[in-house]
Amino acid sequence: MAAEVAAGRTGAIVSMGGSYWMAVHDERRRRSVVAGDLAEMRGVFFASTERGAVWSTDASLLAQQLGRDPDVGLLAAQITVGSVGLWPHRSLWSGVERVPGGFALVLDERGARTVDVRPRSNGRTLEQGAEEVGAALWGAAQGYARTAGSRVSADLSGGLDSSTVVIAAAEVSRIVAITYGGPLADPEDERLARKVAAYVGAEHHVSTGGPATAHFARWPGVTPPAPVLPVSSYPLDSDYLPPARGVSALHLTGHGGDVVLESSTAAWTALVQDGQVRRAKQAVTALARRVNTAPGPLWRVVRESAQGRVRAMHRAAEAVAQGQLLGDKHTVWTWCSIGPATQWLTPYGRQTVAQMLADSGSREGDVHAGEWDDWSALRYNGSALRDSEALYDAHGVYQVSPFLDNEVVRACLAIGAGERRQPDRYKPLLALARPDLPTWLTGRQSKGHFTPLLYEGLRARRAELHKVIDSSDLVNCGLIDATAVHTALDATAAGVGRPPLAALESFLITSWWLARIPALQSAAGSVR
């Protein structure tokens, strides 16, 4: 492997299975190549200094060593624009570059640069690629289970992904399955989790849940290296994870299954880009029928997105700069949805975010919509799992996700987005990949969510969360208007209208995280 990379076949650095870092140094060519895994659970970061480029697997450590501050402009943009992956090469720290999943860092006499080493779709249909997907997934899940030993703990939410991982692992190990339960949990999720546990003979623990497990009910005692969603859901995790503590060295999850098994509706824009207009129209019409709306407005959004990313990003930049809304009200994918949260930006914040959107359009250029969104979502899931490690360590578990291993990612994404997203079929690839799974599982067409826990937490903790808004660095640096966020919080807590819930949660988590940065950097500085 190292010899192939040193010989110039850079893509070989991500060709192995699993999740790993690799650094290859070629003394003869005076060149080093560094990469993490495809999903970016193993991140790589670099920065330019007076003495040349330096790299690290820890962005916060690199920032601390070089005296770099958080990139508050990027944080404000991520909150208010709400799109995943618009700036794949930017880290959360000013002057610290990120190596996106599927890219490698090359260091030589010319300096530091990133090169694309992603595997590409090879035109397979679902049927043609399904067998390889099934084998890769079973191999990854059972490999982790064997590594863990005779018993392994696992999430069992009741969704297709965690249930599949549990069924696979149960063939080689005894399972201790854990499920969040109680009055705020989705009853269908809990019912299916119990059925899966009985099916494999797992030792099954269902938590009692309740209001004390709502989001924001209490803050974590540790600071993660990035503002991740498990900060707000820390009380929920504290409720259901204890039975997994000490069971095994690894804790299996289904994280990432949504991304690799299925594409978003970006697949329809991709079909138009590929000239498959009829298939795209059929998919849009099927969605319109399902949500009881006219297909015309949905089709206009898809057709407009197919005109290209550069045009869309510059249009979004203009809308933000002028304080206009450009949101997608029709639940289909767009390159950048400019919704109500952009109204939180101050005039200075609008100009900052608008410039960032324009820069993103220029740097990344026009790309294939399905591929772009697949990789953006994959990196988001992988980096979130990575950056949540400190939080889960506090709960006594080390999470792993077979769906995000290289061989599973490679097998799934060999099937294009337009194939993996099928009208009126939920994750059709899974049933084809593993026909041995019970049909009562693969026939499920939806998954529950934790939105009731978020609403409950925002209502119960409203007074404290208002204080978080007032003290936020994003407010103090002039990017976001506190009054607008206060109004959104009050409306959400009162159940009035449709405030930007995801943006509100992200703002609160990010503001808490920024207030903890001194402690985080102090901890990073102690690592040598």
Side-chain angles (χ1 to χ4, degrees), residues 88-455:
H89 291 85
R90 293 180 70 156
S91 82
L92 298 181
W93 303 91
S94 298
V96 176
E97 290 285 304
R98 165 186 168 198
V99 180
F103 280 68
L105 174 66
V106 177
L107 302 156
D108 57 20
E109 59 186 10
R110 291 183 289 170
R113 66 188 186 279
T114 58
V115 296
D116 191 343
V117 294
R118 289 175 291 173
R120 291 314 206 281
S121 166
N122 57 18
R124 294 180 185 179
T125 64
L126 283 179
E127 290 75 13
Q128 291 168 338
E131 183 177 354
E132 182 179 344
V133 170
L137 177 57
W138 245 237
Q142 293 182 352
Y144 282 124
R146 289 190 178 98
T147 299
S150 60
R151 296 171 77 229
V152 64
S153 64
D155 276 0
L156 182 54
S157 69
L160 296 188
D161 305 333
S162 65
S163 298
T164 298
V165 170
V166 164
I167 291 172
E171 294 181 2
V172 298
S173 184
R174 288 182 294 151
I175 304 294
V176 178
I178 56 172
T179 302
Y180 174 76
L184 296 176
D186 183 280
E188 180 60 16
D189 279 355
E190 185 175 330
R191 183 195 69 80
L192 194 62
R194 292 183 184 277
K195 189 170 184 176
V196 171
Y199 178 76
V200 300
E203 176 187 328
H204 192 203
H205 300 266
V206 181
S207 74
T208 56
T213 67
H215 288 33
F216 297 110
R218 64 187 178 94
W219 298 102
V222 295
T223 306
V228 287
L229 290 177
V231 167
S232 61
S233 63
Y234 192 78
L236 180 154
D237 294 330
S238 298
D239 177 64
Y240 90 100
L241 282 171
R245 184 187 291 268
V247 171
S248 56
L250 304 176
H251 177 75
L252 293 169
T253 76
H255 290 316
D258 288 336
V259 178
V260 296
L261 290 175
E262 191 171 43
S263 178
S264 74
T265 54
W268 304 340
T269 297
L271 288 174
V272 178
Q273 289 178 316
D274 292 339
Q276 300 185 56
V277 177
R278 183 175 181 180
R279 281 189 62 193
K281 280 187 174 181
Q282 290 173 337
V284 170
T285 301
L287 173 65
R289 188 183 305 116
R290 190 161 61 249
V291 299
N292 194 29
T293 191
L298 301 182
W299 176 243
R300 281 193 293 273
V301 174
V302 172
R303 188 175 56 189
E304 185 174 272
S305 295
Q307 294 176 13
R309 185 177 187 276
V310 173
R311 178 181 181 276
M313 296 307 295
H314 284 282
R315 183 166 175 249
E318 291 175 1
V320 170
Q322 297 170 13
Q324 299 174 348
L325 295 181
L326 198 63
D328 171 17
K329 301 177 182 178
H330 306 294
T331 65
V332 289
W333 181 88
T334 61
W335 294 103
C336 181
S337 180
I338 307 302
T342 58
Q343 303 298 296
W344 299 353
L345 293 166
T346 64
Y348 167 63
R350 289 201 302 272
Q351 296 306 313
T352 299
V353 173
Q355 185 60 56
M356 291 177 60
L357 291 170
D359 290 345
S360 175
S362 300
R363 172 165 181 169
E364 305 300 332
D366 275 324
V367 292
H368 189 264
E371 184 178 79
W372 172 269
D373 195 59
D374 278 346
W375 282 94
S376 295
L378 177 67
R379 294 166 186 149
Y380 173 81
N381 277 265
S383 60
L385 192 64
R386 175 195 75 218
D387 292 334
S388 301
E389 184 177 322
L391 297 172
Y392 289 110
D393 183 62
H395 296 303
V397 299
Y398 181 78
Q399 293 194 324
V400 293
S401 178
F403 282 106
L404 296 178
D405 273 11
N406 276 2
E407 67 271 35
V408 180
V409 171
R410 190 178 297 108
C412 290
L413 298 193
I415 305 168
E419 277 290 309
R420 296 188 345 271
R421 181 79 185 198
Q422 298 280 318
D424 299 321
R425 296 173 66 191
Y426 182 56
K427 298 183 182 177
L429 177 55
L430 182 60
L432 289 171
R434 296 304 308 190
D436 50 339
L437 287 171
T439 55
W440 49 260
L441 174 64
T442 56
R444 190 175 183 190
Q445 295 298 304
S446 64
K447 171 71 171 69
H449 52 79
F450 295 122
T451 303
L453 285 149
L454 178 54
Y455 275 112

Side-chain angles (χ1 to χ4, degrees), residues 76-92:
Q78 289 179 335
I79 292 166
T80 56
V81 176
S83 296
V84 174
L86 289 177
W87 301 275
H89 291 85
R90 293 180 70 156
S91 82
L92 298 181

